[in-house]
Amino acid sequence: MPLIVQKFGGTSVGSIDRIRSAAARALATQRAGNDVVVIVSAMAGETNRLLALAGEISPLPDAREVDSLASTGEQVSAALMALAIQAQGGKARSLLGHQLKILTDSAFSKARIKAIDAQRLHDTLGQGTIAVVAGFQGVDDAGNITTLGRGGSDTSAVAVAAAVGAACEIYTDVDGVYTTDPNICPTAKKIERISYEEMLELASLGAKVLQIRSVEVAMKYGVPVHVRSSFSDAPGTWVIGEEQSLEKVTVTGVALDRNEARVMLVGVADRPGIVAQTFGALARENISVDMIIQSPSVHAIQPGSDEGSIRTTDVTFTVTKADLPRAQHIMESLTAAVGAREVRYDEDIVKVSIVGLGMRSHAGVAARMFELLAAERINIEAISTSEIKISCLLATKYAELAVRALHDGFGLGANT
Ligand code: ADP
Ligand code: ASP
Ligand code: MG
């Protein structure tokens, strides 16, 4: 029998009524002749509420206990979903991460899935039962509960689909992947088909409609992903291999990331090893760094002063806002060792990016992006590029303006 994995996000299980309609959809899919695995997120707002509780107790709470706490949101949804399916005459069984055995590494709050017990799933499905799996959570070798990072239920869904060779449907509060966040830009257009590569960039640059790791897993195992609305039957967006996606347009989408924070080490001694020491310390704590810029220090050294012969540089980088407290802690212990004059932190920034496979073969895309931002008098604080994307760091107040200017400026809008 064909097997379909259906994932329902926070809004789609945000109330008992919505859980009922998701349950009805899963049952209808089963009646149409499929085995069904449902993956659920926590009810909308629940994960934030749980994390805030931990934050009330400590600014740097123990990572193992935070995961144990944060995973409970999905446990509630899974049990309620199973009850809703049963109430509509179906058979259902909820499975938590450790019951299904979604084995992960031990990186709390950002664990990676290592293996999934597919046999356990097949055993459950064998009796005409819908398996309801709690998303976002797993278990490590030592039996600790782990979580997969914010938005991680998408990854649970795609990984389960890969493990059992199923297609994956992601039900959410928009009816597909758009050229930019439709909640920010009213002219955003739904994309019919998008390549894994472009979706990977959009997701990693802030389009939270799919978690980045879910796209990595989909690409690695060739899982076709259909992103669609839980409130309608409209066809959504297919995320698929590059060869099957549409023509390679220069700019496919615009993404906004509000989750970055900037750290600036001012007046660091300009000698070998300093940068390695700084980023080594962050890596050991599992903190990922995004943009990195090294430039001559803003502190001009007076000719003739004692320091006249010492060259210094400023090292600027970005981390996620969630990692900032830990990064701050590390920087404070490092300031003396790297000889930094001062460390500055800035959370009032966003990253706006354009993504498109066609950039590989088109010149002048970056120049056009900078012109469009300049026309709105938006100052660019930092730039980074790859083969198929360009990102600019800006002050938060320009976020929406920049997204709309780039979106419509590159002709992506419904009426441009
Ligand atoms: P869920 O709770 O179902 O996982 P999310 O809130 O994580 O849903 O993701 C859906 C949201 O992603 C949308 O409401 C939308 O605001 C946002 N989003 C950002 N960029 C895009 C995009 N390019 N296309 C569609 N949605 C996007
Ligand atoms: N509940 C988790 C979160 O809010 C996971 C998810 O929704 O995908 O991040
Ligand atoms: Mg999500």
Side-chain angles (χ1 to χ4, degrees):
M1 204 183 281
L3 179 52
I4 296 186
V5 172
Q6 299 187 321
K7 178 255 174 178
F8 295 94
T11 317
S12 312
V13 296
S15 66
I16 295 299
D17 270 347
R18 289 195 170 159
I19 291 178
R20 283 197 186 108
S21 57
R25 190 183 283 277
L27 276 167
T29 308
Q30 189 189 44
R31 270 185 230 113
N34 303 286
D35 274 331
V36 181
V37 179
V38 170
I39 314 281
V40 285
S41 287
M43 296 169 83
E46 181 61 8
T47 310
N48 286 345
R49 187 186 74 86
L50 292 166
L51 294 175
L53 290 176
E56 274 182 46
I57 293 181
S58 159
L60 276 178
D62 179 67
R64 178 185 186 276
E65 303 314 324
V66 170
D67 273 17
S68 192
L69 172 70
S71 69
T72 61
E74 273 70 13
Q75 176 165 356
V76 171
S77 299
L80 289 174
M81 181 65 76
L83 289 173
I85 293 170
Q86 290 166 2
Q88 292 173 37
K91 289 203 273 181
R93 211 178 151 80
S94 67
L95 292 169
L96 300 180
H98 68 90
Q99 293 173 315
L100 171 58
K101 214 145 192 231
I102 297 185
L103 189 69
T104 71
D105 62 20
S106 305
F108 294 114
S109 87
K110 48 178 87 160
R112 279 182 181 269
I113 298 176
K114 297 201 287 190
I116 291 180
D117 188 349
Q119 192 51 50
R120 181 73 207 266
L121 261 186
H122 286 302
D123 292 347
T124 306
L125 296 166
Q127 301 120 37
T129 302
I130 294 180
V132 182
V133 177
F136 183 53
Q137 54 177 267
V139 63
D140 72 2
D141 280 322
N144 300 303
I145 294 171
T146 55
T147 66
L148 310 179
R150 297 310 303 269
S153 299
D154 295 329
T155 303
S156 310
V158 177
V160 165
V164 295
C168 184
E169 299 182 334
I170 302 282
Y171 287 92
T172 182
D173 57 3
V174 284
D175 62 0
V177 178
Y178 278 68
T179 46
T180 192
D181 188 339
N183 290 317
I184 294 181
C185 187
T187 58
K189 264 191 313 199
K190 184 158 70 183
I191 302 170
E192 220 176 292
R193 285 179 282 165
I194 186 167
S195 66
Y196 293 126
E197 290 80 357
E198 288 166 304
M199 193 62 235
L200 200 59
E201 289 286 7
L202 283 177
S204 71
L205 297 169
K208 70 168 182 164
V209 61
L210 285 178
Q211 197 206 29
I212 174 166
R213 280 189 189 159
S214 72
V215 189
E216 284 169 2
V217 175
M219 184 157 136
K220 180 163 175 196
Y221 296 99
V223 179
V225 177
H226 191 188
V227 180
R228 44 190 311 202
S229 167
S230 57
F231 311 127
S232 82
D233 290 322
T237 300
W238 283 95
V239 188
I240 46 182
E242 186 178 328
E243 57 291 345
Q244 298 153 279
S245 62
L246 296 174
E247 57 172 317
K248 296 174 184 42
V249 289
T250 314
V251 177
T252 304
V254 180
L256 170 65
D257 190 348
R258 297 178 182 276
N259 286 318
E260 294 209 6
R262 175 167 54 179
V263 180
M264 193 171 172
L265 293 169
V266 180
V268 177
D270 192 9
R271 60 174 142 73
I274 295 290
V275 172
Q277 200 176 347
T278 308
F279 293 104
L282 293 164
R284 276 191 296 281
E285 289 299 317
N286 228 325
I287 297 176
S288 332
V289 172
D290 181 27
M291 292 173 149
I292 302 176
I293 302 150
Q294 195 184 346
S295 50
S297 184
V298 293
H299 279 262
I301 292 161
Q302 300 301 319
S305 78
D306 292 349
E307 292 178 273
S309 57
I310 306 173
R311 289 200 319 159
T312 62
T313 84
D314 295 341
V315 179
T316 304
F317 58 91
T318 60
V319 296
T320 63
K321 286 196 167 98
D323 279 339
L324 185 63
R326 290 192 303 133
Q328 220 158 333
H329 191 70
I330 294 169
M331 288 308 117
E332 257 121 63
S333 63
L334 216 71
T335 321
V338 301
R341 212 182 283 256
E342 179 194 353
V343 192
R344 294 181 196 162
Y345 306 96
D346 184 3
E347 290 192 73
D348 196 19
I349 51 146
V350 295
K351 187 172 66 175
V352 176
S353 314
I354 56 174
V355 171
L357 283 179
M359 268 184 224
R360 283 180 191 150
S361 48
H362 281 80
V365 183
R368 178 82 186 122
M369 180 180 195
F370 306 150
E371 275 165 22
L372 288 166
L373 294 174
E376 301 292 343
R377 311 196 60 73
I378 298 173
N379 194 43
I380 301 170
E381 313 269 341
I383 300 163
S384 75
T385 65
S386 81
E387 217 188 2
I388 64 164
K389 69 113 200 224
I390 305 166
S391 302
C392 293
L393 210 60
L394 318 167
T396 305
K397 63 180 177 189
Y398 297 125
E400 282 91 1
L401 178 63
V403 168
R404 289 191 207 119
L406 294 173
H407 184 264
D408 294 349
F410 279 106
L412 297 176
N415 46 20
T416 45

